[in-house]
Amino acid sequence: MNKPIPSPQPSRGPTEHEVRAQIVDAATDYFSRYGYEKTTVSDLAKAIGFSKAYIYKFFDSKQAIGEVICANRLAAIIAAVNEAVAEPYGATEKFRRMFKTLLTAGSELFFADRKLYDIAAVAAAEPWPSVGGYEARIQDLLTQIVLQGRESGEFERKTPLDETVNAIFLVMRPYINPLLLQYNLDSAEDATVQLSNLVLRSLAP
Amino acid sequence: MNKPIPSPQPSRGPTEHEVRAQIVDAATDYFSRYGYEKTTVSDLAKAIGFSKAYIYKFFDSKQAIGEVICANRLAAIIAAVNEAVAEPYGATEKFRRMFKTLLTAGSELFFADRKLYDIAAVAAAEPWPSVGGYEARIQDLLTQIVLQGRESGEFERKTPLDETVNAIFLVMRPYINPLLLQYNLDSAEDATVQLSNLVLRSLAP
């Protein structure tokens, strides 16, 4: 297992992709059990049965592997949210479902596996680029929901759109940023319902 | 300096009070310089020139001293807020001033002295009783402001009072709980203005 499987095609793209995926899967498993912070690339190499040098052919560092894991989990959260707010809901219901799903999927993907939270905490503290992308996606989705609500007459239109979106994002942030969520987990479900109601009152025409 | 100054009165109350204050002052100074977590009662005793046993006559533990320091700082924040919302302001202005002062006074008292933040973090994580009392005071003040706004017609009256107050408190919490504030410090001033505006929109009749 110390060499990549030779590709039948001239391009080694797909093979490289497969090996990368194999490393990421094994690392996800390993980090879940032993934590991200305490694991070294050597530990990982030993566990997968690859040489350390071989892993470094595909990833520059442990962080590079962690970033892929983090990006995968964040993408899964966004996918869950997109599914939750798919038509035919009105803007009010979409907003509630979005906030609720962000909390549920986020808690599940980062806290059910308590050890994987390690990665989320490092990612959010630095922050890693995937976290910035994740927050931008949420803000985009929020913008769409607010626009829909303004068009349908569910929401007020006086406040500048970016101010509305940014302020709502600030309200949600303690429950979608894992670094903050760790302090809010116990009461998060009730809190997000109450905060959804407050935000919706602020959006009333 | 190893014995309390003998009191001229039969009661040793005032003297005890003075010695306690002296220990707390010296500890505040010492913790600011070397941090709360790393300091032991022995370090403290040496620095003040008291014996360790003598300090234990007045405080059961290092935490007991930390709790007094924390309670003093929290009381100073509440005093600053009370001053900021004193008459003759209307409820809208009072709310803005309250949120702003909580942030300013909180940052100053716990973060200007970066080492003293140590105490606040431990206090908020446990949480210490003084933190519960502090949050209750803020909720009381918030209730008074909301009631004033409802009476004057500035705020809506449909939402149950406790739901309104609790939800607003949840919005403010990341900026008044030192454990959360550490992650929000950079953008806190802008954020609290935007959040004040959102809360006030949610309160509109």
Side-chain angles (χ1 to χ4, degrees), chain A:
Chain A
M1 281 292 259
N2 275 349
K3 278 185 185 169
I5 302 143
S7 167
Q9 283 154 335
S11 153
R12 55 189 287 273
T15 301
E16 185 174 332
H17 177 81
E18 278 164 30
V19 180
R20 284 175 66 92
Q22 192 185 348
I23 293 171
V24 166
D25 284 352
T28 305
D29 198 49
Y30 198 86
F31 292 153
S32 308
R33 249 179 292 167
Y34 305 103
Y36 170 77
E37 295 264 40
K38 283 182 194 157
T39 299
T40 64
V41 173
S42 298
D43 296 335
L44 217 51
K46 210 176 285 175
I48 311 179
F50 284 171
S51 74
K52 205 169 129 183
Y54 185 63
I55 289 184
Y56 277 121
K57 269 188 171 173
F58 297 90
F59 293 98
D60 288 344
S61 60
K62 179 179 80 168
Q63 177 171 327
I65 305 174
E67 291 212 34
V68 174
I69 296 174
C70 184
N72 286 348
R73 300 244 150 175
L74 295 176
I77 297 175
I78 294 291
V81 170
N82 279 332
E83 194 181 337
V85 304
E87 302 309 330
Y89 303 107
T92 299
E93 187 57 21
K94 276 190 187 173
F95 174 71
R96 284 191 197 283
R97 294 174 69 93
M98 178 193 190
F99 200 176
K100 193 187 162 131
T101 308
L102 278 168
L103 177 69
T104 318
S107 317
E108 207 174 288
L109 283 167
F110 286 114
F111 289 93
D113 262 338
R114 186 72 207 186
K115 294 266 184 189
L116 261 197
Y117 165 72
D118 243 30
I119 293 185
V122 175
E126 307 257 321
W128 289 353
S130 54
V131 174
Y134 173 67
E135 298 199 337
R137 293 292 300 277
I138 295 173
Q139 281 170 316
D140 283 350
L141 201 53
L142 205 47
T143 306
Q144 288 167 33
I145 294 174
V146 172
L147 280 174
Q148 178 185 339
R150 288 182 173 205
E151 275 160 33
S152 67
E154 281 169 272
F155 301 161
E156 59 96 4
R157 302 174 199 192
K158 277 176 298 181
T159 315
L161 182 65
D162 59 344
E163 189 183 332
T164 297
V165 169
N166 201 28
I168 298 174
F169 183 75
L170 286 171
V171 171
M172 297 168 71
R173 197 168 159 261
Y175 302 89
I176 56 184
N177 179 307
L179 213 52
L180 299 170
L181 181 55
Q182 63 174 319
Y183 302 110
N184 297 320
L185 264 183
D186 288 344
S187 53
E189 215 176 308
D190 275 357
T192 53
V193 171
Q194 289 193 45
L195 289 171
S196 287
N197 289 341
L198 182 145
V199 165
L200 289 167
R201 286 195 293 276
S202 81
L203 289 168

Side-chain angles (χ1 to χ4, degrees), chain B residues 5-188:
Chain B
I5 303 143
S7 166
Q9 282 154 336
S11 153
R12 55 190 286 271
T15 301
E16 186 174 331
H17 177 82
E18 277 165 31
V19 180
R20 284 175 65 92
Q22 191 185 349
I23 294 172
V24 167
D25 283 353
T28 306
D29 196 50
Y30 198 86
F31 292 152
S32 308
R33 248 179 293 166
Y34 305 103
Y36 171 75
E37 295 265 40
K38 283 183 193 155
T39 299
T40 64
V41 173
S42 299
D43 296 335
L44 218 50
K46 210 177 284 176
I48 311 179
F50 284 170
S51 74
K52 206 169 126 184
Y54 185 63
I55 290 185
Y56 277 120
K57 270 190 171 172
F58 296 91
F59 293 98
D60 288 343
S61 60
K62 179 179 81 168
Q63 177 171 328
I65 305 174
E67 290 212 33
V68 174
I69 296 174
C70 185
N72 286 348
R73 300 245 150 174
L74 295 176
I77 297 175
I78 294 292
V81 171
N82 279 333
E83 194 180 339
V85 304
E87 302 308 331
Y89 303 106
T92 299
E93 187 59 20
K94 276 190 187 174
F95 174 72
R96 284 191 197 284
R97 294 174 68 93
M98 178 194 191
F99 200 175
K100 193 187 162 134
T101 308
L102 279 168
L103 177 70
T104 318
S107 319
E108 207 173 288
L109 283 168
F110 286 113
F111 290 93
D113 260 338
R114 186 72 207 185
K115 294 265 186 192
L116 260 198
Y117 165 73
D118 243 29
I119 293 185
V122 175
E126 307 257 320
W128 289 353
S130 54
V131 174
Y134 173 67
E135 298 199 337
R137 293 293 300 276
I138 295 173
Q139 282 170 316
D140 283 350
L141 202 52
L142 204 47
T143 306
Q144 288 168 32
I145 294 174
V146 172
L147 279 174
Q148 178 184 338
R150 287 182 174 207
E151 275 161 34
S152 67
E154 281 169 271
F155 299 162
E156 60 96 3
R157 301 175 201 191
K158 277 176 300 181
T159 316
L161 182 66
D162 58 345
E163 190 184 330
T164 297
V165 169
N166 201 28
I168 297 173
F169 183 75
L170 287 171
V171 171
M172 297 168 71
R173 197 167 157 262
Y175 302 89
I176 56 184
N177 178 308
L179 213 52
L180 299 170
L181 181 55
Q182 63 175 320
Y183 302 110
N184 297 321
L185 264 183
D186 287 346
S187 53

